[in-house]
């Protein structure tokens, strides 16, 4: 046994723990301390030490303990100071607190700490604090500077609950709609390739595009229309006419503030179909509140991976195939309502993240 153990100091912490437990078990079984030391290849002093620990604290006293000082001991920043820096990062951009830039990096966090507490930390040292604070390096989401926070608040707390209540009282259904353009020269996604040599994607040199309008409901339904040319009031009326033909109950359609949605032509059409459909408008510059934007992102992400359209007709056909595939996947459509920004259901208020 002693030949197998060798110098116990060279064993891993877990192996040393097992050695201590087995040695003490032998002592409890009636072995002499000299025999235990000889069999397990350790000194009499080590055996006596383990026996004293076991008698004082039982089995737990023999278990391996993390080495080094405990987390938080002798840290440069106290708990209150750490909490203040963390909250400042979450509530402000670097430029808001007298630094340069809009994105927090380890260097800028170090500059903030130096500015607040006159302590200069290395970037790895700052990184340890960031990890301890539960923060991670992320790609930020974008918000338009023109967005009105008060309008967004009213949407969350007043407008959306009112729409939901009205739709429920009328036995109607809520849908969100948006339009999207797809171009032949669009390339998204990544592929593996040799370092230093950018991979090449073959596509047609001709430039053409198609547009699409889609609407989705929290129940997993999807409706769409693919069309050439620009999106205008006439196209919107055509889409609305096709949409109401699929429903036997009233539709509450949520859209953005596009000029075509608010045009006199569309208002006239809606007045003539007020029993079938009603339009509701999102706050300006707030695409993150529209789950149909995730449909557009899904389309633009999925389409270039598989399509090799050489003309507008082929691109339109590929676009229709995408929408028809999603129509057969209501679980994915419902998932658009549980995106990273806002969750919508018919039974709850939207929850922002």
């Amino acid at each position: 046994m002693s030949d197998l153990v060798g110098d116990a100091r060279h064993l891993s912490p877990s192996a040393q723990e097992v050695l201590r437990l087995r040695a003490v078990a032998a002592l409890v079984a009636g072995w002499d301390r000299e025999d235990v030391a000889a069999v397990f290849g350790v000194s009499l002093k080590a055996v006596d030490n383990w026996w004293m620990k076991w008698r004082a604290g039982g089995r737990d006293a023999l278990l391996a303990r993390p080495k080094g000082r405990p987390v938080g001991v002798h840290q440069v920043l106290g708990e209150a100071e750490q909490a203040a820096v963390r909250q400042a990062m979450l509530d402000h951009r670097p430029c808001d607190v007298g630094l340069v830039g809009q994105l927090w990096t380890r260097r800028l966090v170090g500059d903030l700490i130096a500015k607040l507490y006159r302590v200069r930390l290395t970037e790895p040292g700052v990184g340890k604090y960031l990890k301890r604070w539960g923060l991670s390096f992320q790609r930020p989401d974008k918000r338009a500077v023109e967005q009105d926070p008060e309008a967004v608040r009213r949407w969350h707390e007043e407008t959306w609950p009112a729409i939901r209540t009205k739709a429920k009282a009328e036995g109607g259904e809520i849908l969100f709609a948006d339009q999207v353009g797809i171009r032949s020269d669009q390339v998204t996604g990544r592929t593996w390739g040799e370092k230093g040599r950018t991979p090449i994607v073959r596509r047609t040199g001709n430039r053409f595009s198609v547009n699409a309008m889609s609407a989705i409901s929290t129940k997993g339904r999807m409706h769409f229309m693919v069309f050439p040319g620009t999106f205008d009031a006439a196209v919107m009326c055509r889409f609305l006419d096709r949409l109401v033909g699929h429903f036997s109950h009233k539709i509450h359609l949520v859209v953005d503030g596009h000029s075509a949605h608010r045009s006199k032509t569309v208002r006239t059409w809606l007045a003539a179909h007020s029993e079938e459909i009603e339009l509701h408008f999102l706050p300006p510059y707030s695409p993150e509140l529209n789950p149909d934007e995730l449909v557009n992102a899904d389309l633009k992400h999925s389409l270039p991976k598989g399509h090799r359209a050489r003309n507008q007709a082929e691109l339109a056909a590929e676009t229709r195939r995408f929408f028809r595939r999603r129509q057969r996947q209501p679980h994915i459509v419902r998932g658009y309502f549980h995106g990273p920004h806002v969750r919508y259901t018919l039974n709850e208020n939207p929850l922002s993240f």
Side-chain angles (χ1 to χ4, degrees):
M1 177 69 181
S2 60
D3 293 336
L4 295 176
V5 173
D7 190 342
R9 293 173 297 180
H10 296 160
L11 298 177
S12 66
S14 59
Q16 291 183 31
E17 177 184 294
V18 171
L19 182 63
R20 290 192 294 271
L21 292 171
R22 294 181 65 182
V24 170
L27 292 172
V28 172
W31 288 31
D32 293 333
R33 49 194 288 274
E34 292 82 2
D35 293 336
V36 171
V39 169
F40 289 94
V42 296
S43 66
L44 282 172
K45 182 178 179 181
V47 174
D48 292 339
N49 187 35
W50 296 343
W51 180 250
M52 289 174 60
K53 285 185 175 182
W54 180 80
R55 294 189 64 183
R59 185 178 186 276
D60 289 345
L62 302 175
L63 300 182
R65 296 285 185 270
K67 293 185 177 181
R69 63 189 183 208
V71 174
V73 174
H74 304 310
Q75 292 184 94
V76 175
L77 298 179
E79 293 297 326
E81 295 169 334
Q82 293 182 46
V85 174
R86 182 183 188 276
Q87 199 60 45
M89 291 177 57
L90 297 178
D91 293 342
H92 304 283
R93 299 168 299 172
C95 58
D96 296 333
V97 293
L99 303 176
V100 179
Q102 298 196 58
L103 305 178
W104 286 110
T105 62
R106 292 186 302 176
R107 180 181 63 81
L108 285 174
V109 176
D111 291 344
L112 175 63
I113 293 172
K115 183 177 181 179
L116 292 175
Y117 303 114
R118 300 186 181 279
V119 173
R120 176 60 65 179
L121 301 178
T122 64
E123 289 194 14
V126 172
K128 290 180 180 179
Y129 277 114
L130 295 173
K131 184 177 180 181
R132 190 174 300 139
W133 298 341
L135 305 180
S136 61
F137 200 54
Q138 305 175 33
R139 184 188 301 275
D141 192 29
K142 298 183 288 292
R143 289 290 186 276
V145 295
E146 298 85 355
Q147 186 184 79
D148 181 3
E150 177 60 21
V152 174
R153 184 200 64 77
R154 287 196 303 271
W155 170 263
H156 282 289
E157 299 178 7
E158 302 172 15
T159 309
W160 167 248
I163 295 171
R164 190 191 61 224
T165 300
K166 187 174 184 181
K168 185 176 182 180
E170 296 174 344
E173 188 165 346
I174 303 174
L175 292 93
F176 287 74
D178 196 31
Q179 60 276 354
V180 62
I182 307 97
R183 301 191 333 178
S184 60
D185 58 351
Q186 178 178 321
V187 177
T188 60
R190 300 185 180 187
T191 185
W192 290 98
E194 184 180 350
K195 287 185 178 179
R197 298 183 63 182
T198 303
I200 297 174
V201 175
R202 298 290 180 182
R203 57 174 176 79
T204 178
N206 299 323
R207 292 186 178 180
F208 46 86
S209 64
V210 297
N211 293 303
M213 185 82 180
S214 64
I216 58 174
S217 78
T218 55
K219 297 180 180 180
R221 297 181 63 161
M222 170 181 279
H223 303 272
F224 72 93
M225 182 177 74
V226 178
F227 56 92
T230 58
F231 176 73
D232 55 19
V235 173
M236 181 63 177
C237 289
R238 184 151 49 97
F239 177 75
L240 294 174
D241 192 55
R242 293 177 58 172
L243 187 62
V244 297
H246 289 283
F247 289 84
S248 58
H249 48 264
K250 187 172 180 178
I251 302 169
H252 288 265
L253 187 65
V254 181
V255 295
D256 59 25
H258 194 285
S259 58
H261 300 158
R262 297 181 177 274
S263 66
K264 182 178 179 180
T265 301
V266 172
R267 292 200 308 270
T268 302
W269 188 96
L270 289 169
H273 298 79
S274 59
E275 298 298 320
E276 301 170 278
I277 189 169
E278 184 176 341
L279 242 58
H280 305 275
F281 296 97
L282 290 164
Y285 302 102
S286 303
E288 71 278 1
L289 298 180
N290 190 348
D292 202 49
E293 289 280 355
L294 297 180
V295 178
N296 300 341
D298 189 9
L299 170 65
K300 291 185 176 182
H301 182 74
S302 301
L303 206 58
K305 292 183 177 180
H307 88 88
R308 299 180 64 179
R310 299 187 180 185
N311 53 55
Q312 190 181 56
E314 291 183 4
L315 182 58
E318 291 288 345
T319 303
R320 290 189 183 95
R321 274 194 283 273
F322 166 84
F323 281 114
R324 287 169 182 152
R325 184 167 63 251
R326 288 293 180 262
Q327 284 180 323
R328 298 190 297 270
Q329 299 168 318
H331 62 287
I332 294 181
V333 177
R334 287 192 295 269
Y336 296 134
F337 288 87
H338 296 267
H341 311 304
V342 173
R343 295 183 179 182
Y344 288 100
T345 72
L346 290 177
N347 299 317
E348 299 175 337
N349 288 329
L351 304 175
S352 350
F353 292 88

